[in-house]
Amino acid sequence: MDKFLIKKKRNPLGLEEEEKNGVEEKEAIWKEIRAEGLHCDYRILFSKSEADGILLELERDIEYLQGDLAKLYVFGKWHNVPRKQVAYGDAGLSYTYSGATFSPKPWIPVLQRVRECVQAVTGHSFNFVLINRYKDGRDRMGEHRDDERELEPRSPIASVSFGAGRDFVFRHCGSKGHSTPSHPTPVWLHLEHGSLLVMRFPTNQHWRHGLPARRGVTGPRVNLTFRDVRGSHVGP
């Protein structure tokens, strides 16, 4: 398969559930994103007014890591992270990537509310959230896979975005930075304010993803990636 497919489908939970979450019917339609080894779903989860309110709470209440705790180990060196980050979640969990280990802060009300909405529309439970704040388009996330050993096998990752819309890329691991006749072309998405992207198995086995710099973006973006981390499984 050398092209990706995006098609729309109705939320299996039905319109009644959507109305409880304050989302209009036209916004409650999932977009399926499919390619070889790529299995993702995307939709608007929160109306603009809801997303605006949540962003204000996040900007007011989230406490980000500072100093050495905000550095990552990449290619044999410690680097300052080109964004702010922190983790919240259940007690007793830990999550490590790029040489940094995150012990989550306790859940706060705004994160609990967002988590409940995500769980309601995905049917999955999450016990951990990694938060990244991008002050503007110069802040970025390098291409990587979320395949750390602490994650529950085959569990999805749910990414919720608030603030400035940003371009997001999936690139097949065999492409080495460019498409080839034997590998799919990169898949580009624009992650909107109040949107939800669900990355399902086996996406992170075969595709890297990243958030490239966009100097034309002047506003902040806060991204919440909900995960199910081993050690304190939540729900059925």
Side-chain angles (χ1 to χ4, degrees):
M1 181 185 295
D2 60 359
K3 294 184 178 180
F4 68 92
L5 169 68
I6 298 181
K7 68 178 183 178
K8 297 180 179 180
K9 66 176 182 179
R10 289 284 179 183
N11 183 354
L13 295 181
L15 179 58
E16 181 179 356
E17 287 297 320
E18 297 302 337
E19 290 174 341
K20 290 179 182 178
N21 290 330
V23 181
E24 295 181 4
E25 180 181 3
K26 66 181 180 180
E27 295 177 324
I29 298 176
W30 288 92
K31 294 181 180 179
E32 297 179 334
I33 303 164
R34 304 288 187 268
E36 179 185 334
L38 179 68
H39 183 176
C40 297
D41 297 300
Y42 176 82
R43 59 163 286 177
I44 300 298
L45 181 59
F46 298 101
S47 67
K48 183 180 184 304
S49 61
E50 287 179 312
D52 287 347
I54 292 171
L55 179 60
L56 287 174
E57 289 189 71
L58 294 172
E59 293 284 67
R60 182 191 67 200
D61 297 341
I62 297 298
E63 299 177 359
Y64 292 96
L65 300 177
Q66 298 182 12
D68 289 342
L69 294 176
K71 294 183 178 181
L72 295 179
Y73 192 72
V74 182
F75 300 125
K77 295 181 179 180
W78 287 97
H79 299 267
N80 291 321
V81 179
R83 59 193 176 277
K84 289 184 177 181
Q85 60 182 9
V86 69
Y88 287 75
D90 290 0
L93 298 179
S94 65
Y95 184 75
T96 301
Y97 81 96
S98 296
T101 298
F102 293 85
S103 297
K105 298 176 181 290
W107 294 100
I108 59 176
V110 62
L111 296 177
Q112 287 277 34
R113 295 202 314 274
V114 176
R115 178 172 69 152
E116 289 170 1
C117 290
V118 171
Q119 292 180 157
V121 300
T122 64
H124 293 278
S125 297
F126 302 97
N127 57 16
F128 184 96
V129 62
L130 183 63
I131 304 174
N132 287 283
R133 184 186 188 275
Y134 306 83
K135 68 179 183 298
D136 55 32
R138 291 173 295 179
D139 282 3
R140 64 195 187 280
M141 172 78 77
E143 294 181 13
H144 65 285
R145 292 185 294 164
D146 292 326
D147 58 352
E148 287 75 22
R149 62 184 181 182
E150 292 95 338
L151 295 174
E152 285 286 347
R154 295 175 174 258
S155 62
I157 293 176
S159 173
V160 188
S161 299
F162 298 99
R166 292 290 296 268
D167 293 333
F168 188 81
V169 63
F170 287 101
R171 203 180 306 275
H172 195 276
C173 293
S175 66
K176 297 182 179 179
H178 56 274
S179 60
T180 67
S182 59
H183 293 102
T185 58
V187 176
W188 288 88
L189 302 173
H190 187 73
L191 302 181
E192 301 171 77
H193 181 41
S195 67
L196 166 64
L197 173 68
V198 182
M199 293 182 282
R200 304 183 185 276
F201 180 85
T203 299
N204 277 298
Q205 287 191 349
H206 304 291
W207 293 74
R208 303 186 306 275
H209 58 270
L211 191 89
R214 290 289 185 265
R215 294 192 177 275
V217 176
T218 58
R221 172 181 183 259
V222 178
N223 178 248
L224 316 179
T225 51
F226 291 91
R227 305 152 193 255
D228 191 9
V229 175
R230 295 185 185 190
S232 179
H233 187 78
V234 178

